[in-house]
Amino acid sequence: MRTILILWAVCLPAYLAAQIGGQHVYEFLNLSPSARIVSLGGVNISTMDDDVNFGVQNPALVSDSMHQRMSLSFSSYLAGIKYGYAGYSHTFEGIGSFHSGIQYINSGSMRGADEFGNLTGEFSASELAWYLGISRAWRQFRYGANLKFISSTLGPGYSSVGMALDLGGSYQSKSKLFSAGMVIRNIGTQFTTYTGAPREGLPFEVLLGVSNKLKYMPLRFSITLTNLEQPRLIFIDPDAPVELDLSGNPIEPRNQTADQIFRHGVFSAEFLLGKSLRLRAGYNHLRRQELRSENRAGMTGFSMGIGIRASRFAFDYGFSSFGLNGRLFAHQFSLLYRLGN
């Protein structure tokens, strides 16, 4: 634990100037690995149970409850893009809980053209990351790390290879009703760049989350704070024209403090109906504010899902809205299976 805290302190200052929104390579690492996480708003680093997919976003959540659990996930994403995740966890007594998985994204076939607009034929783009993680326990805490080997091909002659590290910690109360997590994600670099240009930054992020299950109700709430390394998430255009009222006086800009704070938050709830049925809902305020139209937002930023559990199997479905158009819904399906007893 002391070593992890020292690494956090050393690595964090180098990334404090990081920006979000298309400023990094390997952005597919931010995609949700499972339908359950999709339905919980797209990110959750504090829920502790037997779902091996949570280890992708927080390696410290992997525990012996996930022993010999495997998962398969597939998503029908926007614009015909397909992505998915496959993972497995195994615990070795006295050593720790390990997990490994592969995350991929395939953007399909596209038509290429040169700088003069002449068509050069079709090409495909795909990216892949192989995860290898370990988690260990210390009293009521757990600490862990993910090592990610990344390969990206965006067309003929445009490929890149890199590596990233996630560091995570988690805590669970003795009653197991409350849990918390903290993660520093995507500390890493490119080994080779797409065009031989200088290396680009990875989507570095600091997250903090809490989950709490009500004692006398089958309901669990979660709050996840994202992009803590970047306090300001609202872009203010210095060249934007000044708005005037009907009298010609400048309109003072509204107070953006509350919006600024809530853009860091992802809120979710999970209803645990008996042993077999789960209903889930989530809200991502940053996604809603960035993708809404000027006058309407609709379901943008909201997500929902359902989970069904059997003796060895669990099936999850989740969808999230990225805009008013019904074609801007992303759907994801996951299947979990327990190999051992």
Side-chain angles (χ1 to χ4, degrees):
M1 180 64 72
R2 181 181 301 173
T3 302
I4 290 177
L5 292 175
I6 292 174
L7 286 173
W8 280 352
V10 170
C11 295
L12 181 58
Y15 290 89
L16 286 178
Q19 303 292 321
I20 66 172
Q23 300 295 317
H24 310 101
V25 293
Y26 313 143
E27 288 281 0
F28 77 104
L29 297 175
N30 289 327
L31 294 174
S32 304
S34 72
R36 183 181 180 189
I37 296 177
V38 164
S39 62
L40 295 176
V43 58
N44 188 298
I45 63 166
S46 54
T47 298
M48 302 186 70
D49 58 18
D50 57 359
D51 190 339
V52 66
N53 294 300
F54 282 108
V56 176
Q57 295 188 339
N58 185 356
L61 296 181
V62 180
S63 65
D64 53 4
S65 65
M66 303 177 186
H67 179 58
Q68 293 187 327
R69 296 265 181 170
M70 64 177 297
S71 68
L72 295 171
S73 296
F74 172 79
S75 175
S76 175
Y77 203 51
L78 307 176
I81 296 172
K82 311 294 183 184
Y83 80 88
Y85 175 77
Y88 174 76
S89 178
H90 198 100
T91 297
F92 296 93
E93 188 174 353
I95 301 177
S97 297
F98 291 81
H99 73 105
S100 181
I102 294 177
Q103 185 176 17
Y104 77 92
I105 181 171
N106 190 323
S107 301
S109 298
M110 294 170 280
R111 287 188 292 180
D114 59 21
E115 63 270 27
F116 303 106
N118 301 313
L119 298 179
T120 58
E122 291 191 349
F123 68 96
S124 61
S126 62
E127 297 178 282
L128 181 145
W130 174 48
Y131 288 72
L132 181 61
I134 182 175
S135 172
R136 290 177 58 88
W138 181 73
R139 297 181 181 177
Q140 292 172 243
F141 297 87
R142 297 194 69 88
Y143 56 95
N146 282 338
L147 191 61
K148 296 180 279 193
F149 301 92
I150 308 162
S151 173
S152 174
T153 301
L154 303 183
Y158 291 91
S159 61
S160 173
V161 176
M163 186 171 68
L165 175 69
D166 300 340
L167 299 174
S170 65
Y171 165 82
Q172 187 175 45
S173 65
K174 292 182 178 180
S175 66
K176 297 188 177 181
L177 296 177
F178 174 83
S179 57
M182 180 178 180
V183 182
I184 296 182
R185 301 180 63 234
N186 300 321
I187 305 168
T189 185
Q190 287 180 293
F191 293 142
T192 60
T193 60
Y194 294 103
T195 61
R199 293 184 177 92
E200 302 175 76
L202 274 64
F204 175 84
E205 186 178 10
V206 179
L207 306 96
L208 181 67
V210 294
S211 296
N212 188 68
K213 182 183 179 301
L214 302 183
K215 187 174 182 180
Y216 299 109
M217 288 186 63
L219 180 61
R220 180 191 293 118
F221 292 101
S222 296
I223 300 175
T224 305
L225 302 179
T226 65
N227 301 297
L228 295 179
E229 80 290 346
Q230 182 65 20
R232 295 192 60 84
L233 296 176
I234 299 177
F235 173 73
I236 300 177
D237 187 359
D239 299 323
V242 177
E243 295 186 14
L244 304 177
D245 59 20
L246 296 177
S247 302
N249 300 315
I251 299 176
E252 293 292 331
R254 61 185 177 86
N255 192 331
Q256 298 176 327
T257 302
D259 187 21
Q260 191 76 255
I261 294 174
F262 277 97
R263 288 189 184 219
H264 289 276
V266 177
F267 310 90
S268 63
E270 188 170 24
F271 296 87
L272 315 174
L273 304 179
K275 295 183 178 180
S276 301
L277 184 62
R278 305 287 187 266
L279 300 179
R280 305 169 181 126
Y283 173 70
N284 189 316
H285 187 68
L286 175 63
R287 182 184 297 167
R288 183 174 179 84
Q289 294 297 90
E290 294 291 334
L291 300 181
R292 61 175 296 164
S293 67
E294 184 176 356
N295 299 318
R296 292 179 57 200
M299 288 288 294
T300 306
F302 286 92
S303 56
M304 297 181 184
I306 186 172
I308 300 174
R309 302 170 69 91
S311 58
R312 287 181 177 270
F313 289 92
F315 171 79
D316 294 319
Y317 163 75
F319 85 92
S320 53
S321 174
F322 291 84
L324 290 173
N325 194 318
R327 290 177 293 180
L328 297 178
F329 285 176
H331 305 268
Q332 190 154 342
F333 306 87
S334 297
L335 178 67
L336 292 94
Y337 179 68
R338 185 180 71 246
L339 298 178
N341 294 323

